[in-house]
Amino acid sequence: MRPPLDSKLLAEELALTPDLTLELLPESASTNQVAAERAREGAPDGLLVVADHQTAGRGRLDRTWETPAGAAVTFSLLLRPTVPATSWPWLPLLTGHTVAKALTSFGYEARVKWPNDVLIDGLKVAGILVERIETDSGPAAVVGVGINVSTTADELPVPTATSLVVAHPDLTPTREGVLLGTVAAVREGYDAWQVGGAEAAARLASSYVSHCATVGQDVRVDLPGGTSLSGRAVDVDSDGRLVVETPSGVEKVGAGDVVHVVPE
Ligand code: BT5
């Protein structure tokens, strides 16, 4: 049995960050679901819902996120963005980018697969699900992040997954350290983007593109309805769409329109 998260340590560390409020749950079906409920009840920006064990984690398109008890970091950060609606598609990309940055600061070579999977050695170590929730006080964003920390190779749910311990057994960050470091990176990246206007948006876009594993790759993009397009991913445009050069011309795909992006 793995130890539970150190609630005292988390409370103490987060008390130093006045723009975050911790709700630590020993067990939860989905932190995104809890954060969405809190948003509808009027919870303010900065609520951080953490599950020590998440039992029915959600992915995109009704997919699931599976993590054994005590092995992962699973949290949702409630934000109330004031950026124009056209900038919202950047929020999941920003999250993946800043999670990768946090993991890099711990010593891992983490990269983002467009739009927001975080990879180490080409395998998925973290998944992100950003949901827009309509509330009485305006739209809220629930930024959900799951990171495989001490999950062993046998416990990984799919062959395309990895964990921090599998990727680099010599580095042994704690779940508390990964959680605090990641949340701080997301919050900091978000705050800079949220208040920084066009200049911050351009800086984020160029930093994202230079750290994105997908740009420069030959890919097949699977679209809803069973169709797909193949070509070279060459850029991410100002709306966060992946720009793909196909034999029949340039196509731009938004994250919401994509089922899978597969390297070819
Ligand atoms: C995601 O979806 O990757 C988003 C995952 C978000 C999870 C967080 S945890 C906290 C918060 N609360 C929630 O309920 N969710 C968020 P998607 O891109 O659809 O990828 C899902 C796919 O990843 C699955 O179909 C599996 O193939 C794979 N997968 C499932 N569990 C995984 C894991 N632990 N590690 C790596 N891959 C996994």
Side-chain angles (χ1 to χ4, degrees):
M1 258 262 292
R2 295 171 163 113
L5 282 167
D6 184 339
S7 55
K8 190 162 164 279
L9 174 79
L10 292 181
E12 278 170 11
E13 291 288 331
L14 287 165
L16 301 170
T17 318
D19 55 359
L20 293 172
T21 314
L22 176 65
E23 179 171 349
L24 176 58
L25 304 166
E27 191 171 296
S28 165
S30 158
T31 56
N32 264 37
Q33 194 186 323
V34 174
E37 278 164 25
R38 301 287 179 269
R40 291 189 194 98
E41 290 160 10
D45 182 283
L47 174 69
L48 175 65
V49 180
V50 177
D52 201 329
H53 179 33
Q54 183 172 252
T55 54
R58 286 167 22 196
R60 297 189 313 119
L61 305 171
D62 288 332
R63 296 190 289 236
T64 57
W65 182 258
E66 295 167 47
T67 46
V73 159
T74 46
F75 71 85
S76 299
L77 179 60
L78 171 60
L79 298 170
R80 292 190 176 272
T82 54
V83 292
T86 49
S87 299
W88 276 62
W90 268 99
L91 194 46
L93 280 68
L94 178 155
T95 307
H97 185 53
T98 50
V99 169
K101 189 170 138 190
L103 296 182
T104 302
S105 77
F106 299 142
Y108 302 92
E109 283 186 30
R111 309 263 282 166
V112 187
K113 175 184 169 197
W114 183 89
N116 56 8
D117 286 350
V118 181
L119 309 183
I120 300 178
D121 301 330
L123 298 168
K124 184 160 163 178
V125 70
I128 286 152
L129 177 65
V130 176
E131 295 179 287
R132 182 184 164 114
I133 310 294
E134 301 306 327
T135 78
D136 290 346
S137 44
V142 170
V143 174
V145 178
I147 306 171
N148 303 321
V149 179
S150 65
T151 324
T152 62
D154 289 350
E155 290 172 324
L156 291 168
V158 287
T160 49
T162 191
S163 70
L164 297 182
V165 75
V166 168
H168 213 320
D170 298 340
L171 298 173
T172 50
T174 61
R175 283 197 298 151
E176 291 82 357
V178 173
L179 172 65
L180 292 166
T182 309
V183 170
V186 172
R187 179 86 238 191
E188 198 180 302
Y190 169 78
D191 286 345
W193 171 74
Q194 161 82 8
V195 301
E199 204 182 304
R203 270 204 309 273
L204 169 63
S206 100
S207 180
Y208 179 91
V209 168
S210 64
H211 289 92
C212 177
T214 315
V215 173
Q217 267 184 348
D218 290 327
V219 292
R220 189 189 77 231
V221 181
D222 294 340
L223 302 165
T227 58
S228 67
L229 57 90
S230 290
R232 166 75 51 102
V234 291
D235 201 3
V236 174
D237 76 1
S238 58
D239 295 325
R241 293 177 300 178
L242 188 67
V243 181
V244 185
E245 276 177 7
T246 75
S248 51
V250 172
E251 301 274 357
K252 295 179 175 186
V253 284
D257 304 326
V258 166
V259 179
H260 283 299
V261 179
V262 189
E264 282 200 317

